[in-house]
Amino acid sequence: MDILSDQTLEAAKRASLIATALAWFFNNLPIDMFPLQVRPALLLMQRIVPYLGYIATFISWSWGTVKSYDVGECLCILSY
């Protein structure tokens, strides 16, 4: 669990950084500069990007819940 926690923490940081960068990018994107065919997709992306933050928060909360049930027993499923 300790190894997974370290990797999960690093992944959560990375996911948060990417979600923030995408949110900034799509919120500051000049839609009028793109062709009419592309604008609906860009508008859709602007609406979807905030949900990335919600998903990242849910994953972080879920991992905290999984860690709370850890009692230190190893099932050793991966050993042959």
Side-chain angles (χ1 to χ4, degrees), residues 4 15-16 18 20 27 30-31 37 41 48 55 62-63 65 69-71 77-78:
L4 290 176
S16 176
I18 291 170
T20 304
N27 287 334
I31 300 293
Q37 297 86 353
I48 290 175
I55 292 169
S62 297
W63 182 249
T65 304
Y69 288 110
D70 179 33
V71 292
I77 295 172
L78 300 176

Side-chain angles (χ1 to χ4, degrees), residues 2 12 15-17 41-42 46 49 52-53 56-57 59-60 63 65 67-68 70 72 75-76 78-80:
D2 291 337
S16 176
L17 181 66
L42 293 175
Q46 282 182 338
V49 166
L52 292 176
T57 302
I59 290 171
S60 297
W63 182 249
T65 304
K67 280 180 47 178
S68 71
D70 179 33
L75 298 176
C76 300
L78 300 176
S79 65
Y80 297 5

Side-chain angles (χ1 to χ4, degrees), residues 19-70:
T20 304
L22 282 174
W24 181 88
F25 178 74
F26 281 109
N27 287 334
N28 293 313
L29 198 63
I31 300 293
D32 297 336
M33 294 183 65
F34 290 91
L36 288 174
Q37 297 86 353
V38 179
R39 290 180 190 175
L42 293 175
L43 290 172
L44 179 67
M45 290 302 294
Q46 282 182 338
R47 304 271 188 223
I48 290 175
V49 166
Y51 293 104
L52 292 176
Y54 302 143
I55 292 169
T57 302
F58 175 74
I59 290 171
S60 297
W61 173 81
S62 297
W63 182 249
T65 304
V66 168
K67 280 180 47 178
S68 71
Y69 288 110
D70 179 33

